[in-house]
Coordinates of all heavy atoms in Angstrom, one line a residue:
M9 N 0.8 -1.2 0.0 CA 0.0 0.0 0.0 C 0.9 1.2 0.0 O 1.9 1.3 0.7 CB -0.9 0.0 1.3 CG -2.0 -0.9 1.3 SD -3.0 -0.7 2.7 CE -2.8 -2.3 3.5
S10 N 0.5 2.2 -0.7 CA 1.2 3.5 -0.7 C 0.7 4.4 0.3 O -0.4 4.1 0.9 CB 1.1 4.1 -2.1 OG -0.2 4.6 -2.3
D11 N 1.4 5.5 0.6 CA 0.9 6.5 1.6 C -0.4 7.2 1.2 O -1.0 7.7 2.1 CB 2.0 7.5 1.8 CG 3.2 6.9 2.5 OD1 3.1 5.9 3.2 OD2 4.4 7.4 2.2
D12 N -0.7 7.1 -0.1 CA -2.0 7.8 -0.5 C -3.2 6.9 -0.4 O -4.3 7.5 -0.6 CB -1.8 8.2 -2.0 CG -0.6 9.2 -2.2 OD1 -0.4 10.0 -1.3 OD2 0.0 9.1 -3.3
D13 N -3.1 5.7 0.0 CA -4.3 4.8 0.2 C -5.0 5.1 1.5 O -4.4 5.3 2.5 CB -3.8 3.3 0.2 CG -3.3 2.8 -1.1 OD1 -3.7 3.5 -2.2 OD2 -2.6 1.8 -1.2
Y14 N -6.3 5.2 1.4 CA -7.2 5.5 2.5 C -8.3 4.4 2.6 O -8.7 3.9 1.6 CB -7.8 6.9 2.5 CG -6.9 8.0 2.7 CD1 -6.1 8.5 1.7 CD2 -6.7 8.5 4.0 CE1 -5.2 9.5 2.0 CE2 -5.8 9.5 4.3 CZ -5.1 10.0 3.3 OH -4.2 11.0 3.5
I15 N -8.6 4.1 3.9 CA -9.6 3.0 4.1 C -10.7 3.7 5.0 O -10.3 4.4 6.0 CB -9.0 1.8 4.8 CG1 -8.0 1.2 3.9 CG2 -10.1 0.8 5.2 CD1 -7.3 0.0 4.5
Y16 N -12.0 3.4 4.7 CA -13.0 3.9 5.5 C -13.1 3.1 6.8 O -13.3 1.9 6.8 CB -14.4 3.9 4.8 CG -15.5 4.5 5.5 CD1 -15.6 5.9 5.7 CD2 -16.5 3.7 6.1 CE1 -16.6 6.5 6.4 CE2 -17.5 4.3 6.8 CZ -17.6 5.7 6.9 OH -18.6 6.2 7.6
D17 N -13.0 3.8 8.0 CA -13.1 3.1 9.3 C -14.6 3.2 9.8 O -15.0 4.3 10.1 CB -12.1 3.8 10.3 CG -12.1 3.2 11.6 OD1 -12.8 2.1 11.8 OD2 -11.5 3.7 12.5
E18 N -15.3 2.1 9.8 CA -16.7 2.1 10.2 C -16.9 2.5 11.6 O -17.9 3.0 12.0 CB -17.3 0.8 9.9 CG -17.4 0.5 8.4 CD -18.1 -0.8 8.1 OE1 -18.6 -1.4 9.0 OE2 -18.0 -1.2 6.9
A19 N -15.9 2.2 12.5 CA -16.0 2.5 13.9 C -16.0 4.0 14.2 O -16.8 4.5 15.0 CB -14.8 1.9 14.7
T20 N -15.2 4.8 13.5 CA -15.1 6.2 13.7 C -15.9 7.0 12.7 O -16.2 8.2 12.9 CB -13.7 6.7 13.7 OG1 -13.1 6.4 12.4 CG2 -12.9 6.0 14.8
G21 N -16.2 6.4 11.5 CA -16.9 7.1 10.4 C -16.0 8.0 9.6 O -16.5 9.0 9.0
E22 N -14.7 7.7 9.7 CA -13.7 8.6 9.0 C -12.9 7.8 8.0 O -12.7 6.6 8.1 CB -12.8 9.2 10.0 CG -13.4 10.1 11.1 CD -12.5 10.6 12.1 OE1 -11.3 10.0 12.2 OE2 -12.8 11.4 12.9
W23 N -12.3 8.5 7.0 CA -11.3 8.0 6.1 C -10.0 8.1 6.8 O -9.6 9.2 7.2 CB -11.3 8.7 4.8 CG -12.6 8.3 4.0 CD1 -13.8 9.0 4.0 CD2 -12.7 7.2 3.1 NE1 -14.6 8.4 3.1 CE2 -14.1 7.3 2.6 CE3 -11.9 6.2 2.7 CZ2 -14.6 6.3 1.7 CZ3 -12.4 5.2 1.8 CH2 -13.7 5.3 1.3
R24 N -9.3 7.0 6.9 CA -7.9 7.0 7.6 C -6.9 6.4 6.7 O -7.2 5.5 5.9 CB -8.0 6.2 8.9 CG -9.1 6.9 9.9 CD -9.3 6.1 11.1 NE -8.1 6.0 11.9 CZ -8.1 5.2 13.0 NH1 -9.1 4.5 13.3 NH2 -6.9 5.1 13.7
P25 N -5.6 6.8 6.9 CA -4.6 6.2 6.1 C -4.5 4.7 6.2 O -4.7 4.2 7.4 CB -3.3 6.9 6.6 CG -3.8 8.1 7.3 CD -5.2 7.8 7.8
A26 N -4.3 4.0 5.2 CA -4.2 2.5 5.2 C -3.1 2.0 6.2 O -3.4 1.0 6.9 CB -4.0 2.0 3.8
S27 N -2.0 2.7 6.3 CA -0.9 2.2 7.2 C -1.4 2.3 8.6 O -1.1 1.5 9.4 CB 0.3 3.1 6.9 OG 0.0 4.4 7.2
E28 N -2.2 3.3 8.9 CA -2.7 3.5 10.3 C -3.7 2.4 10.7 O -3.7 1.9 11.7 CB -3.3 4.9 10.4 CG -3.8 5.2 11.8 CD -4.4 6.6 11.9 OE1 -3.8 7.5 11.3 OE2 -5.5 6.7 12.5
M29 N -4.5 2.0 9.6 CA -5.5 1.0 9.9 C -4.9 -0.3 10.1 O -5.4 -1.1 10.8 CB -6.5 1.0 8.7 CG -7.5 2.2 8.7 SD -8.5 2.4 10.1 CE -9.6 1.0 9.7
A30 N -3.8 -0.6 9.3 CA -3.1 -1.9 9.5 C -2.6 -2.1 10.9 O -2.7 -3.2 11.5 CB -2.0 -2.0 8.5
T31 N -2.1 -1.1 11.5 CA -1.6 -1.1 12.8 C -2.7 -1.3 13.8 O -2.6 -2.1 14.7 CB -0.8 0.2 13.2 OG1 0.2 0.4 12.2 CG2 -0.2 0.2 14.5
T32 N -3.8 -0.6 13.6 CA -4.9 -0.7 14.5 C -5.5 -2.1 14.5 O -5.8 -2.7 15.5 CB -6.0 0.4 14.1 OG1 -5.4 1.6 14.1 CG2 -7.1 0.3 15.1
A33 N -5.6 -2.7 13.3 CA -6.2 -4.1 13.2 C -5.3 -5.1 13.9 O -5.9 -6.0 14.6 CB -6.3 -4.4 11.7
S34 N -4.0 -4.9 13.9 CA -3.2 -5.9 14.6 C -3.3 -5.7 16.0 O -3.2 -6.7 16.8 CB -1.7 -5.8 14.1 OG -1.2 -4.5 14.5
D35 N -3.5 -4.5 16.6 CA -3.7 -4.3 18.0 C -4.9 -5.0 18.5 O -4.9 -5.5 19.6 CB -3.7 -2.8 18.3 CG -2.3 -2.1 18.1 OD1 -1.4 -2.9 18.0 OD2 -2.3 -0.9 18.0
R36 N -6.0 -4.9 17.7 CA -7.2 -5.5 18.1 C -7.2 -7.0 18.2 O -8.0 -7.6 19.0 CB -8.4 -5.2 17.1 CG -8.9 -3.8 17.3 CD -10.2 -3.6 16.4 NE -10.1 -2.3 15.8 CZ -10.3 -2.0 14.6 NH1 -10.6 -2.9 13.7 NH2 -10.2 -0.8 14.1
T37 N -6.3 -7.7 17.5 CA -6.3 -9.1 17.5 C -5.4 -9.6 18.7 O -5.4 -10.9 19.0 CB -5.6 -9.7 16.3 OG1 -4.3 -9.2 16.1 CG2 -6.5 -9.3 15.1
Q38 N -4.8 -8.8 19.5 CA -4.1 -9.3 20.7 C -5.1 -9.7 21.8 O -6.1 -9.0 22.1 CB -3.2 -8.2 21.3 CG -2.0 -7.9 20.4 CD -1.1 -6.9 21.1 OE1 -1.5 -6.2 22.0 NE2 0.2 -6.9 20.7
V39 N -4.8 -10.8 22.3 CA -5.7 -11.4 23.4 C -4.9 -11.1 24.7 O -3.8 -11.4 24.9 CB -5.9 -12.9 23.3 CG1 -6.7 -13.5 24.4 CG2 -6.6 -13.2 21.9
R40 N -5.7 -10.5 25.7 CA -5.1 -10.0 26.9 C -5.8 -10.7 28.1 O -7.0 -10.9 28.0 CB -5.1 -8.5 27.1 CG -4.3 -7.8 26.0 CD -4.2 -6.4 26.2 NE -3.4 -5.7 25.3 CZ -2.0 -5.5 25.4 NH1 -1.5 -6.0 26.5 NH2 -1.4 -5.0 24.5
D41 N -5.1 -11.0 29.2 CA -5.7 -11.6 30.4 C -6.2 -10.4 31.3 O -6.2 -9.3 30.9 CB -4.7 -12.4 31.1 CG -3.5 -11.6 31.7 OD1 -3.5 -10.4 31.6 OD2 -2.6 -12.2 32.3
A42 N -6.7 -10.8 32.4 CA -7.3 -9.9 33.3 C -6.3 -8.8 33.7 O -6.7 -7.6 34.1 CB -7.8 -10.6 34.6
A43 N -5.0 -9.0 33.8 CA -4.1 -8.1 34.2 C -3.5 -7.2 33.0 O -2.6 -6.4 33.2 CB -2.9 -8.7 34.9
G44 N -3.9 -7.6 31.8 CA -3.5 -6.8 30.6 C -2.3 -7.5 29.9 O -1.7 -6.9 29.0
N45 N -1.8 -8.6 30.3 CA -0.7 -9.3 29.7 C -1.2 -10.0 28.4 O -2.3 -10.5 28.4 CB -0.2 -10.4 30.6 CG 0.4 -9.9 31.9 OD1 1.0 -8.9 32.0 ND2 0.0 -10.5 33.0
V46 N -0.4 -9.9 27.4 CA -0.7 -10.5 26.1 C -0.6 -12.0 26.2 O 0.4 -12.6 26.6 CB 0.2 -10.0 25.0 CG1 -0.1 -10.6 23.6 CG2 0.1 -8.4 24.9
L47 N -1.6 -12.8 25.7 CA -1.6 -14.2 25.7 C -1.3 -14.7 24.4 O -1.7 -14.1 23.3 CB -3.0 -14.7 26.2 CG -3.4 -14.4 27.6 CD1 -4.9 -14.8 27.8 CD2 -2.6 -15.0 28.6
A48 N -0.7 -15.9 24.3 CA -0.4 -16.6 23.0 C -0.7 -18.1 23.2 O -0.9 -18.6 24.3 CB 1.1 -16.4 22.7
D49 N -0.8 -18.7 22.0 CA -1.1 -20.2 22.0 C 0.0 -20.9 22.8 O 1.2 -20.6 22.7 CB -1.1 -20.8 20.6 CG -2.4 -20.4 19.8 OD1 -3.4 -20.2 20.5 OD2 -2.4 -20.4 18.6
G50 N -0.4 -21.9 23.7 CA 0.6 -22.6 24.4 C 0.9 -22.1 25.8 O 1.6 -22.7 26.6
D51 N 0.5 -20.8 26.1 CA 0.7 -20.2 27.4 C 0.0 -21.0 28.5 O -1.0 -21.7 28.3 CB 0.2 -18.8 27.5 CG 1.2 -17.8 26.8 OD1 2.3 -18.2 26.4 OD2 0.8 -16.7 26.5
S52 N 0.5 -20.8 29.7 CA -0.2 -21.3 30.9 C -0.8 -20.2 31.6 O -0.2 -19.1 31.7 CB 0.8 -22.0 31.9 OG 1.3 -23.2 31.3
V53 N -2.1 -20.4 32.2 CA -2.8 -19.4 32.9 C -3.3 -19.9 34.2 O -3.4 -21.1 34.4 CB -3.9 -18.8 32.1 CG1 -3.5 -18.1 30.8 CG2 -4.9 -19.9 31.8
S54 N -3.6 -19.1 35.1 CA -4.2 -19.5 36.4 C -5.5 -18.7 36.6 O -5.6 -17.6 36.1 CB -3.3 -19.3 37.6 OG -3.0 -17.9 37.7
L55 N -6.5 -19.3 37.2 CA -7.8 -18.7 37.5 C -7.7 -17.7 38.6 O -7.0 -17.9 39.6 CB -8.8 -19.7 37.8 CG -9.1 -20.8 36.8 CD1 -10.2 -21.8 37.3 CD2 -9.5 -20.2 35.5
I56 N -8.3 -16.5 38.4 CA -8.3 -15.5 39.4 C -9.5 -15.5 40.3 O -9.6 -14.7 41.3 CB -8.1 -14.1 38.8 CG1 -9.3 -13.7 37.9 CG2 -6.8 -14.0 38.1 CD1 -9.3 -12.3 37.4
K57 N -10.5 -16.4 40.1 CA -11.6 -16.6 41.0 C -12.2 -18.0 40.7 O -11.9 -18.6 39.7 CB -12.7 -15.5 40.7 CG -13.4 -15.6 39.4 CD -14.4 -14.5 39.2 CE -15.7 -14.9 39.7 NZ -16.8 -14.0 39.6
D58 N -13.0 -18.4 41.7 CA -13.7 -19.7 41.5 C -14.7 -19.6 40.4 O -15.4 -18.7 40.3 CB -14.4 -20.1 42.8 CG -13.5 -20.5 43.9 OD1 -12.2 -20.5 43.7 OD2 -14.0 -20.6 45.1
L59 N -14.7 -20.7 39.5 CA -15.7 -20.7 38.4 C -16.5 -22.0 38.4 O -15.9 -23.0 38.4 CB -14.9 -20.6 37.1 CG -14.1 -19.3 36.8 CD1 -13.4 -19.4 35.5 CD2 -15.0 -18.1 36.8
K60 N -17.8 -21.8 38.4 CA -18.7 -23.0 38.2 C -18.7 -23.3 36.8 O -18.9 -22.5 35.9 CB -20.1 -22.7 38.7 CG -20.2 -22.5 40.2 CD -21.6 -22.2 40.6 CE -21.6 -21.9 42.1 NZ -23.0 -21.5 42.6
V61 N -18.5 -24.6 36.5 CA -18.5 -25.1 35.1 C -19.8 -25.6 34.7 O -20.3 -26.6 35.3 CB -17.4 -26.1 34.8 CG1 -17.3 -26.5 33.4 CG2 -16.0 -25.5 35.3
K62 N -20.5 -25.0 33.8 CA -21.8 -25.4 33.3 C -21.7 -26.8 32.7 O -20.8 -27.0 31.9 CB -22.5 -24.4 32.4 CG -22.8 -23.1 33.1 CD -23.4 -22.1 32.1 CE -23.7 -20.8 32.7 NZ -24.3 -19.9 31.7
G63 N -22.6 -27.6 33.0 CA -22.6 -29.0 32.3 C -21.7 -30.0 33.0 O -21.9 -31.2 32.8
A64 N -20.7 -29.6 33.6 CA -19.8 -30.5 34.3 C -20.1 -30.8 35.7 O -19.6 -31.7 36.3 CB -18.4 -30.0 34.2
G65 N -20.9 -29.9 36.4 CA -21.3 -30.0 37.7 C -20.1 -29.9 38.7 O -20.2 -30.5 39.8
Q66 N -19.2 -29.1 38.4 CA -18.0 -28.9 39.3 C -17.6 -27.5 39.3 O -17.9 -26.7 38.4 CB -16.9 -29.9 39.0 CG -16.2 -29.6 37.8 CD -15.1 -30.7 37.5 OE1 -15.3 -31.6 36.8 NE2 -13.9 -30.5 38.2
T67 N -16.7 -27.1 40.2 CA -16.2 -25.8 40.3 C -14.7 -25.8 40.2 O -14.0 -26.6 40.9 CB -16.6 -25.1 41.7 OG1 -18.0 -25.1 41.8 CG2 -16.0 -23.7 41.8
L68 N -14.1 -25.0 39.3 CA -12.7 -24.8 39.3 C -12.3 -23.7 40.2 O -12.8 -22.6 40.3 CB -12.2 -24.4 37.8 CG -12.5 -25.4 36.7 CD1 -12.1 -24.8 35.4 CD2 -11.7 -26.7 37.0
K69 N -11.4 -24.0 41.1 CA -11.0 -23.1 42.2 C -10.0 -22.0 41.8 O -9.2 -22.3 40.8 CB -10.3 -23.9 43.4 CG -11.3 -25.0 44.0 CD -12.4 -24.3 44.7 CE -13.3 -25.3 45.4 NZ -14.4 -24.7 46.0
Q70 N -10.0 -21.0 42.5 CA -9.0 -19.9 42.2 C -7.6 -20.4 42.3 O -7.3 -21.2 43.2 CB -9.2 -18.8 43.2 CG -8.2 -17.6 43.1 CD -8.5 -16.5 44.1 OE1 -9.5 -16.5 44.8 NE2 -7.6 -15.6 44.2
G71 N -6.7 -20.1 41.4 CA -5.4 -20.6 41.5 C -5.1 -21.8 40.6 O -4.0 -22.2 40.4
T72 N -6.2 -22.4 40.1 CA -6.0 -23.6 39.2 C -5.3 -23.2 38.0 O -5.5 -22.2 37.4 CB -7.5 -24.1 38.8 OG1 -8.2 -24.5 40.0 CG2 -7.3 -25.3 37.9
V73 N -4.2 -24.1 37.7 CA -3.4 -23.8 36.5 C -4.0 -24.5 35.3 O -4.2 -25.7 35.4 CB -1.9 -24.2 36.8 CG1 -1.1 -24.0 35.6 CG2 -1.4 -23.4 38.0
I74 N -4.1 -23.8 34.2 CA -4.5 -24.3 33.0 C -3.3 -24.2 32.0 O -2.8 -23.1 31.8 CB -5.7 -23.6 32.4 CG1 -6.9 -23.6 33.4 CG2 -6.2 -24.2 31.1 CD1 -7.6 -24.8 33.7
R75 N -2.9 -25.3 31.4 CA -1.7 -25.3 30.6 C -2.1 -25.5 29.1 O -3.1 -26.0 28.8 CB -0.8 -26.5 31.0 CG -0.2 -26.3 32.3 CD 0.8 -27.5 32.7 NE 1.4 -27.3 33.9 CZ 0.8 -27.6 35.1 NH1 -0.4 -28.0 35.1 NH2 1.5 -27.3 36.2
S76 N -1.2 -25.0 28.3 CA -1.4 -25.1 26.8 C -2.7 -24.5 26.3 O -3.6 -25.3 25.7 CB -1.2 -26.5 26.3 OG 0.0 -27.0 26.7
I77 N -3.0 -23.3 26.5 CA -4.2 -22.7 26.0 C -4.1 -22.5 24.5 O -3.1 -22.5 23.9 CB -4.5 -21.3 26.7 CG1 -3.4 -20.3 26.3 CG2 -4.6 -21.4 28.2 CD1 -3.8 -18.9 26.6
R78 N -5.3 -22.3 23.9 CA -5.4 -22.0 22.5 C -6.3 -20.8 22.3 O -7.3 -20.7 22.9 CB -5.9 -23.2 21.7 CG -5.0 -24.4 21.6 CD -5.6 -25.6 20.8 NE -6.9 -25.9 21.3 CZ -7.2 -26.8 22.3 NH1 -6.2 -27.2 23.1 NH2 -8.4 -27.1 22.6
L79 N -5.8 -19.9 21.5 CA -6.6 -18.7 21.2 C -7.7 -19.0 20.2 O -7.6 -19.9 19.4 CB -5.7 -17.6 20.6 CG -4.5 -17.2 21.5 CD1 -3.8 -16.1 20.8 CD2 -4.9 -16.8 22.9
T80 N -8.9 -18.3 20.3 CA -10.0 -18.5 19.5 C -10.2 -17.2 18.6 O -9.5 -16.3 18.7 CB -11.3 -18.7 20.3 OG1 -11.6 -17.6 21.0 CG2 -11.1 -19.9 21.2
D81 N -11.2 -17.2 17.8 CA -11.5 -16.1 17.0 C -12.0 -14.9 17.8 O -11.9 -13.8 17.4 CB -12.6 -16.4 15.9 CG -12.0 -17.4 14.9 OD1 -10.8 -17.4 14.7 OD2 -12.8 -18.1 14.2
N82 N -12.6 -15.3 18.9 CA -13.1 -14.2 19.9 C -11.9 -13.9 20.8 O -11.5 -14.7 21.6 CB -14.3 -14.8 20.7 CG -14.9 -13.8 21.6 OD1 -14.3 -12.7 21.9 ND2 -16.0 -14.1 22.1
P83 N -11.5 -12.6 20.9 CA -10.4 -12.2 21.8 C -10.7 -12.2 23.2 O -9.9 -12.1 24.1 CB -10.0 -10.8 21.3 CG -11.2 -10.3 20.6 CD -11.9 -11.5 20.0
E84 N -12.0 -12.5 23.6 CA -12.4 -12.5 25.0 C -12.5 -14.0 25.5 O -12.9 -14.2 26.6 CB -13.7 -11.8 25.2 CG -13.6 -10.4 24.9 CD -15.0 -9.7 25.0 OE1 -16.0 -10.4 25.2 OE2 -15.0 -8.5 24.8
E85 N -12.2 -15.0 24.6 CA -12.3 -16.4 25.0 C -11.0 -17.2 24.7 O -10.4 -16.9 23.6 CB -13.5 -17.0 24.4 CG -14.8 -16.4 24.8 CD -16.0 -17.1 24.1 OE1 -15.8 -17.8 23.1 OE2 -17.1 -16.9 24.6
I86 N -10.7 -18.2 25.4 CA -9.6 -19.1 25.1 C -10.1 -20.5 25.3 O -11.0 -20.8 26.1 CB -8.4 -18.8 26.1 CG1 -8.8 -18.9 27.5 CG2 -7.7 -17.5 25.8 CD1 -7.6 -18.9 28.5
D87 N -9.6 -21.4 24.4 CA -9.8 -22.8 24.5 C -8.8 -23.5 25.4 O -7.6 -23.1 25.3 CB -9.7 -23.4 23.1 CG -11.0 -23.9 22.5 OD1 -11.9 -24.0 23.2 OD2 -11.0 -24.2 21.3
C88 N -9.2 -24.4 26.2 CA -8.3 -25.1 27.1 C -8.8 -26.4 27.5 O -9.9 -26.7 27.2 CB -7.9 -24.2 28.3 SG -9.3 -23.5 29.1
R89 N -7.9 -27.2 28.1 CA -8.2 -28.5 28.7 C -7.9 -28.5 30.1 O -6.9 -28.0 30.5 CB -7.5 -29.6 27.9 CG -8.2 -30.1 26.7 CD -7.5 -31.4 26.3 NE -7.0 -31.1 24.9 CZ -6.2 -31.9 24.3 NH1 -5.7 -32.9 24.9 NH2 -5.8 -31.6 23.1
H90 N -8.7 -29.2 30.9 CA -8.4 -29.5 32.3 C -8.5 -31.0 32.4 O -9.1 -31.7 31.6 CB -9.5 -28.8 33.1 CG -9.2 -28.8 34.6 ND1 -9.7 -29.7 35.4 CD2 -8.3 -28.1 35.4 CE1 -9.3 -29.6 36.6 NE2 -8.4 -28.6 36.6
E91 N -7.9 -31.6 33.4 CA -7.8 -33.0 33.6 C -9.2 -33.6 33.5 O -9.4 -34.7 32.9 CB -7.2 -33.4 34.9 CG -5.7 -33.0 35.1 CD -5.5 -31.6 35.6 OE1 -6.3 -31.2 36.4 OE2 -4.6 -31.0 35.1
S92 N -10.2 -33.0 34.1 CA -11.5 -33.6 34.2 C -12.5 -33.0 33.2 O -13.6 -33.5 33.2 CB -12.0 -33.5 35.7 OG -12.1 -32.1 36.0
I93 N -12.2 -31.9 32.5 CA -13.1 -31.3 31.7 C -12.5 -31.1 30.3 O -11.5 -30.4 30.1 CB -13.5 -29.9 32.2 CG1 -14.0 -30.0 33.6 CG2 -14.6 -29.2 31.3 CD1 -14.2 -28.7 34.3
K94 N -13.1 -31.7 29.3 CA -12.6 -31.5 27.9 C -13.5 -30.4 27.2 O -14.6 -30.3 27.5 CB -12.6 -32.8 27.1 CG -11.7 -33.8 27.7 CD -11.7 -35.1 26.8 CE -10.7 -36.1 27.4 NZ -10.6 -37.2 26.7
G95 N -12.9 -29.7 26.3 CA -13.6 -28.7 25.5 C -14.0 -27.5 26.4 O -15.0 -26.9 26.2
L96 N -13.1 -27.1 27.3 CA -13.4 -26.0 28.2 C -13.0 -24.7 27.5 O -12.0 -24.6 26.9 CB -12.5 -26.2 29.5 CG -12.6 -25.2 30.6 CD1 -14.0 -25.2 31.2 CD2 -11.7 -25.4 31.7
V97 N -14.0 -23.7 27.6 CA -13.7 -22.4 27.1 C -13.8 -21.4 28.2 O -14.8 -21.4 29.0 CB -14.7 -22.0 26.0 CG1 -14.5 -20.6 25.5 CG2 -14.7 -23.0 24.8
L98 N -12.7 -20.6 28.4 CA -12.7 -19.7 29.5 C -12.7 -18.2 28.9 O -12.1 -18.0 27.9 CB -11.5 -19.9 30.4 CG -11.4 -21.2 31.2 CD1 -10.1 -21.3 31.9 CD2 -12.6 -21.3 32.2
R99 N -13.2 -17.3 29.7 CA -13.2 -15.9 29.3 C -11.9 -15.4 29.9 O -11.5 -15.7 31.0 CB -14.4 -15.2 29.9 CG -15.7 -15.7 29.3 CD -16.9 -14.9 29.3 NE -16.7 -13.5 29.1 CZ -16.9 -12.8 27.9 NH1 -17.2 -13.5 26.9 NH2 -16.7 -11.5 27.9
T100 N -11.3 -14.5 29.1 CA -9.9 -14.0 29.5 C -10.0 -13.1 30.7 O -9.0 -13.0 31.4 CB -9.3 -13.2 28.3 OG1 -10.2 -12.2 27.9 CG2 -9.0 -14.1 27.1
E101 N -11.2 -12.6 31.1 CA -11.3 -11.7 32.2 C -11.1 -12.5 33.5 O -11.0 -11.9 34.6 CB -12.6 -11.0 32.2 CG -13.8 -12.0 32.3 CD -15.2 -11.2 32.1 OE1 -15.6 -10.5 33.0 OE2 -15.7 -11.5 31.0
F102 N -11.1 -13.8 33.5 CA -11.0 -14.7 34.7 C -9.7 -15.4 34.8 O -9.5 -16.2 35.6 CB -12.1 -15.7 34.7 CG -13.5 -15.1 34.7 CD1 -14.5 -15.4 33.7 CD2 -13.9 -14.2 35.7 CE1 -15.7 -14.9 33.8 CE2 -15.2 -13.6 35.7 CZ -16.1 -14.0 34.7
V103 N -8.7 -15.1 33.9 CA -7.4 -15.7 33.9 C -6.3 -14.8 34.0 O -6.4 -13.6 33.6 CB -7.2 -16.7 32.7 CG1 -8.3 -17.8 32.7 CG2 -7.2 -15.9 31.4
R104 N -5.1 -15.2 34.5 CA -3.9 -14.4 34.6 C -2.8 -15.3 34.0 O -2.6 -16.4 34.4 CB -3.6 -13.9 36.0 CG -2.4 -13.1 36.1 CD -2.2 -12.4 37.4 NE -3.2 -11.4 37.5 CZ -3.9 -11.2 38.6 NH1 -3.7 -11.9 39.7 NH2 -4.8 -10.2 38.7
K105 N -2.0 -14.7 33.2 CA -0.8 -15.4 32.6 C 0.2 -15.8 33.7 O 0.4 -15.0 34.6 CB -0.2 -14.5 31.5 CG 0.9 -15.2 30.8 CD 1.4 -14.3 29.6 CE 2.5 -15.0 28.8 NZ 2.9 -14.2 27.7
R106 N 0.7 -17.0 33.6 CA 1.7 -17.5 34.5 C 3.1 -17.2 33.9 O 3.3 -17.5 32.8 CB 1.5 -18.9 34.8 CG 0.3 -19.2 35.7 CD 0.2 -20.6 36.1 NE 1.3 -21.2 36.7 CZ 1.6 -21.2 38.0 NH1 0.7 -20.7 38.9 NH2 2.7 -21.8 38.4
G107 N 4.0 -16.7 34.7 CA 5.4 -16.5 34.4 C 5.9 -16.8 33.1 O 6.6 -16.6 32.3

């Protein structure tokens, strides 16, 4: 793209330079935990509060470590596995990245 290219930004209703829009789009795809740390595939996270798991009839306790997370298309959700629960999806607002 050249410097003269502009893209219509539906969020603001303005025409913005294409180079600026490319930077903004990449920032939106970052998945962040409750503390604002950037998450990536394969990271380990811990729960920051007790969570009742629908359909499994059990509660995951605060501090439970979840290993090898997978990012989803939704930046507010992560795919993960727990020893007793398969196909677990957690909201990023309830997890914190481990070291």
Side-chain angles (χ1 to χ4, degrees):
M9 286 185 241
S10 70
D11 292 333
D12 298 327
D13 291 338
Y14 285 86
I15 297 175
Y16 184 73
D17 183 9
E18 292 180 14
T20 63
E22 300 174 348
W23 288 91
R24 299 175 59 188
S27 58
E28 184 180 314
M29 290 297 289
T31 304
T32 307
S34 66
D35 291 343
R36 278 189 223 133
T37 59
Q38 286 186 341
V39 177
R40 296 185 179 270
D41 67 2
N45 301 316
V46 177
L47 297 174
D49 283 336
D51 283 347
S52 293
V53 296
S54 60
L55 300 180
I56 61 170
K57 66 179 273 183
D58 291 354
L59 297 175
K60 293 181 182 176
V61 181
K62 293 180 181 178
Q66 71 183 96
T67 301
L68 294 176
K69 299 291 183 184
Q70 178 179 348
T72 300
V73 176
I74 306 290
R75 293 179 178 82
S76 299
I77 65 166
R78 289 181 309 279
L79 303 181
T80 64
D81 292 337
N82 184 346
E84 296 177 354
E85 295 179 346
I86 55 173
D87 245 350
C88 45
R89 271 194 239 165
H90 188 262
E91 295 87 35
S92 59
I93 306 167
K94 294 183 181 181
L96 181 64
V97 176
L98 294 175
R99 299 204 33 100
T100 55
E101 63 190 284
F102 300 122
V103 300
R104 179 170 289 136
K105 185 174 182 176
R106 291 185 48 96

